[in-house]
């Protein structure tokens, strides 16, 4: 992503904040995994969205109308030894030269410098309650200014959510963001193809997970957007199954929910396919039902329609199909009203997708479901999960878990499926797996 795009976002935020107010946002921190080992660093998405700065121990400050420049970055000073052991970091000079900060200060001097920026400002925009250290520091800095009120200083009197503004911005993807999302969707979809090709009875779930990770890494994507779910047989009925330790059995289905991350943008794809490469009859019937529900939901993804319409469409198709197959009994309207489908379809149709897999952005505005608009990206992921111990259904259905998930962009005229590279029709899957 070019610096000019980050700059444009900051300008937009600064306009929202307004002269007389101030905005703050801190970076993510390194976290210890065990003893001297850290987890790989992942920048806070909001912070990266506004700064493009990929280091821990940083704080961005936005002061609309400040004469010496409206964007200040506190970060780590350049340190020779650190550079030798841990590699490159921008330092103060890099912050101004390469990241367009108007001023840069050492993060270690935050306590001395930041109260000065807060003086005589009215509102502080910041991500409330997300970073305990920033929450605590901010109130201490404000108290410090209050204690000097007799010398004429005025402390900020309002704390406002910075996220309300930034998350609304993040909900609408720019052409450059869409380029990254198309790339990550394409590579992730190809990873699912590799997984289908590698799958056979007797392998372990983690060996299929390895196929996905191998493909992502080979294509330069070193991180997954979330822990991969590789769930054979009844493991698929555990929605967040990530152990991935069981042996794959002939006759079972395999559900894979996996996506890579590319320059902080996520893909989120689920495919379900037979371990043997051939669906059994009951598997075929349930699978086709989920696929029909997905197509019905996708028809509801276009500008001007409400967010919940896709979900409602999936509920209708699934409930009707479950009655036809005998898994639910009763009148369709009543079953929907009583939410009887929820014992087999307990999640919603999807979520916003972007820098975070469950991306930011409101789903309702003033109690009303949101209207879809071009530039939004979301997942469409209906599923059916029939518990292995479900006594109310015929034995042939028990222990089957199916989800089909694609990433979808709302366009000016309808939608575009970004993850179409992973096959999902019964015929396509069987042909691919049997090498036809
Ligand atoms: N992979 C998480 C989800 O599908 O929401
Ligand atoms: Mn999802
Ligand atoms: Mn998923």
């Amino acid at each position: 992503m070019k610096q000019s795009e980050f700059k444009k976002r900051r300008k937009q935020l600064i306009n929202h904040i307004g002269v007389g107010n101030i905005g703050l946002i801190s970076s993510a921190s390194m976290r210890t995994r065990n003893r001297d080992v850290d987890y790989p660093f992942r920048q806070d998405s909001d912070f990266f969205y506004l700064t493009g700065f990929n280091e821990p121990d940083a704080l961005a400050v936005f002061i609309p109308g400040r004469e010496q420049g409206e964007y200040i970055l506190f970060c780590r000073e350049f340190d020779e030894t650190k550079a030798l052991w841990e590699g490159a970091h921008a330092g103060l000079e890099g912050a101004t030269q390469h990241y367009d900060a108007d001023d840069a200060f050492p993060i270690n001097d935050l306590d001395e410098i930041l109260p000065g920026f807060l003086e005589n400002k009215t509102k502080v925009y910041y991500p409330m309650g997300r970073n305990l250290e920033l929450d605590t520091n901010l109130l201490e800095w404000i108290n410090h200014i209050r204690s000097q009120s007799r010398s004429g200083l005025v402390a900020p009197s309002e704390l406002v959510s910075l996220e309300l503004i930034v998350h609304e911005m993040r909900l609408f993807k720019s052409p450059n963001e869409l380029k990254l999302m198309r790339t990550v969707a394409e590579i992730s979809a190809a990873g699912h193809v590799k997984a289908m090709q590698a799958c056979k009875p007797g392998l372990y779930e983690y060996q299929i997970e390895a196929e996905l990770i191998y493909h992502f890494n080979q294509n330069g994507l070193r991180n997954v957007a979330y822990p991969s779910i590789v769930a054979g047989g009844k493991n698929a009925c555990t929605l967040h199954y990530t152990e991935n330790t069981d042996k794959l059995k002939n006759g079972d289905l395999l559900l894979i929910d996996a996506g890579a991350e590319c320059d902080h943008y996520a893909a989120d794809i689920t495919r379900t396919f037979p371990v043997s490469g051939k669906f059994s009859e009951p598997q075929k019937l349930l699978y086709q039902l989920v696929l029909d529900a997905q197509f019905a939901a996708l028809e509801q993804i276009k500008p001007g329609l409400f967010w919940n319409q896709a979900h409602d469409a999936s509920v209708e198709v699934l409930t009707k199909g479950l009655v036809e197959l005998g898994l639910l009994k009763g009148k369709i309207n009543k079953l929907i009203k009583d939410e009887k489908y929820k014992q087999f379809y307990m999640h919603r149709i999807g979520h916003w997708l972007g820098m975070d897999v469950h991306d930011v952005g409101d789903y309702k505005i003033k109690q009303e479901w949101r209207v879809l608009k071009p530039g939004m990206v979301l997942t469409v992921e209906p599923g059916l999960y029939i518990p292995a111990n479900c006594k109310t259904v015929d034995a042939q259905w028990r222990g089957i878990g199916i989800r089909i998930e694609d990433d979808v962009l709302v366009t000016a005229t309808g939608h575009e499926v970004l993850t179409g590279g992973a096959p999902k029709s019964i015929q396509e899957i069987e042909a691919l797996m049997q090498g036809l």
Side-chain angles (χ1 to χ4, degrees):
M1 194 75 69
K2 288 211 184 86
Q3 276 305 316
S4 56
E5 177 135 355
F6 296 111
K7 195 169 183 164
K8 208 161 84 189
R9 296 170 185 170
R10 287 194 296 270
K11 190 76 217 150
Q12 209 178 329
L13 173 67
I14 284 166
N15 282 342
H16 268 284
I17 293 173
V19 175
N21 304 317
I22 183 170
L24 307 175
I25 184 163
S26 52
S27 71
S29 314
M30 292 301 292
R31 284 176 209 269
T32 306
R33 180 175 182 273
N34 59 305
R35 200 164 159 83
D36 288 344
V37 181
D38 289 328
Y39 283 107
F41 178 69
R42 168 57 158 82
Q43 187 57 283
D44 175 85
S45 299
D46 286 338
F47 183 88
F48 192 82
Y49 182 81
L50 292 167
T51 64
F53 193 69
N54 203 16
E55 293 184 25
D57 302 327
L59 180 95
V61 182
F62 308 105
I63 309 180
R66 178 175 176 262
E67 264 178 32
Q68 308 90 311
E70 297 176 308
Y71 170 39
I72 298 144
L73 192 58
F74 286 83
C75 63
R76 302 176 302 186
E77 285 182 274
F78 185 78
D79 177 331
E80 283 294 345
T81 317
K82 198 174 183 58
L84 187 67
W85 284 77
E86 294 170 26
H89 50 287
L92 305 184
E93 230 175 80
T96 51
Q97 280 180 11
H98 305 306
Y99 294 92
D100 272 344
D102 297 309
D103 265 324
F105 297 105
I107 191 77
N108 290 337
D109 295 349
L110 199 57
D111 277 331
E112 286 81 66
I113 300 174
L114 202 74
F117 290 139
L118 292 170
E119 285 169 9
N120 302 323
K121 303 290 187 302
T122 308
K123 299 180 191 178
V124 183
Y125 286 79
Y126 89 108
M128 281 183 265
R130 226 169 65 192
N131 179 329
L132 192 59
E133 200 182 335
L134 183 60
D135 284 328
T136 314
N137 285 345
L138 181 60
L139 295 182
E140 275 176 17
W141 295 324
I142 290 176
N143 268 340
H144 178 72
I145 303 171
R146 278 185 183 149
S147 71
Q148 294 168 282
S149 63
R150 277 183 296 281
S151 45
L153 292 184
V154 179
S157 53
E158 283 180 56
L159 302 180
V160 189
S161 164
L162 181 92
E163 286 134 307
L164 279 183
I165 307 168
V166 177
H167 292 180
E168 190 63 17
M169 289 164 64
R170 278 178 54 190
L171 181 56
F172 296 91
K173 274 66 180 177
S174 72
N176 287 325
E177 289 181 290
L178 289 176
K179 217 159 129 186
L180 290 173
M181 292 199 75
R182 283 199 176 90
T183 302
V184 74
E186 206 173 290
I187 295 171
S188 302
H192 279 259
V193 171
K194 298 280 181 193
M196 287 180 195
Q197 287 170 325
C199 185
K200 58 181 182 201
L203 289 180
Y204 284 82
E205 291 165 342
Y206 53 76
Q207 291 180 289
I208 302 299
E209 182 182 17
E211 292 291 332
L212 290 153
I213 293 174
Y214 180 80
H215 182 78
F216 298 163
N217 279 11
Q218 281 291 346
N219 285 279
L221 308 187
R222 305 266 314 284
N223 293 304
V224 284
Y226 54 92
S228 307
I229 296 169
V230 183
K234 65 176 172 23
N235 291 342
C237 298
T238 305
L239 291 185
H240 293 158
Y241 175 83
T242 49
E243 281 91 344
N244 303 351
T245 45
D246 282 356
K247 204 179 207 173
L248 298 171
K249 292 205 257 328
N250 203 357
D252 275 354
L253 291 177
L254 175 59
L255 180 154
I256 298 182
D257 184 345
E261 187 174 85
C262 176
D263 288 351
H264 298 88
Y265 286 83
D268 183 9
I269 306 178
T270 308
R271 289 292 182 267
T272 310
F273 53 89
V275 169
S276 66
K278 195 162 169 40
F279 287 88
S280 71
E281 277 316 301
Q283 288 167 353
K284 227 182 226 180
L285 290 168
L286 279 186
Y287 185 89
Q288 190 57 48
L289 178 53
V290 176
L291 191 57
D292 290 345
Q294 205 215 22
F295 282 127
L298 283 168
E299 273 180 35
Q300 303 300 316
I301 307 293
K302 50 183 156 190
L305 299 190
F306 289 95
W307 160 263
N308 63 316
Q309 286 179 250
H311 181 72
D312 293 348
S314 70
V315 165
E316 206 172 311
V317 171
L318 289 176
T319 306
K320 200 157 163 260
L322 287 169
V323 170
E324 276 164 17
L325 297 176
L327 284 94
L328 286 179
K329 287 178 189 68
K331 287 219 159 59
I332 290 159
N333 285 346
K334 174 116 173 68
L335 291 168
I336 292 176
K337 193 164 154 272
D338 296 343
E339 300 186 333
K340 292 293 184 202
Y341 58 86
K342 274 196 176 170
Q343 53 184 312
F344 306 124
Y345 177 37
M346 57 294 279
H347 57 75
R348 290 195 60 87
I349 191 70
H351 47 83
W352 305 128
L353 182 74
M355 298 180 82
D356 295 305
V357 61
H358 291 172
D359 208 33
V360 295
D362 288 331
Y363 292 92
K364 278 189 171 180
I365 292 182
K366 293 195 184 125
Q367 315 287 332
E368 280 272 0
W369 289 110
R370 183 149 205 158
V371 174
L372 298 177
K373 293 191 177 148
M376 292 172 162
V377 179
L378 46 99
T379 67
V380 178
E381 50 177 306
L384 280 178
Y385 315 89
I386 320 297
N389 60 0
C390 183
K391 296 286 186 299
T392 61
V393 303
D394 199 87
Q396 63 178 331
W397 311 116
R398 293 181 201 157
I400 295 180
I402 298 165
R403 178 164 63 256
I404 305 170
E405 174 175 31
D406 281 299
D407 303 344
V408 182
L409 163 69
V410 182
T411 63
T413 51
H415 67 259
E416 175 189 336
V417 175
L418 305 177
T419 44
K424 61 183 174 185
S425 76
I426 289 174
Q427 200 191 8
E428 281 173 313
I429 291 174
E430 290 192 341
L432 175 75
M433 294 186 71
Q434 294 167 26
L436 300 176

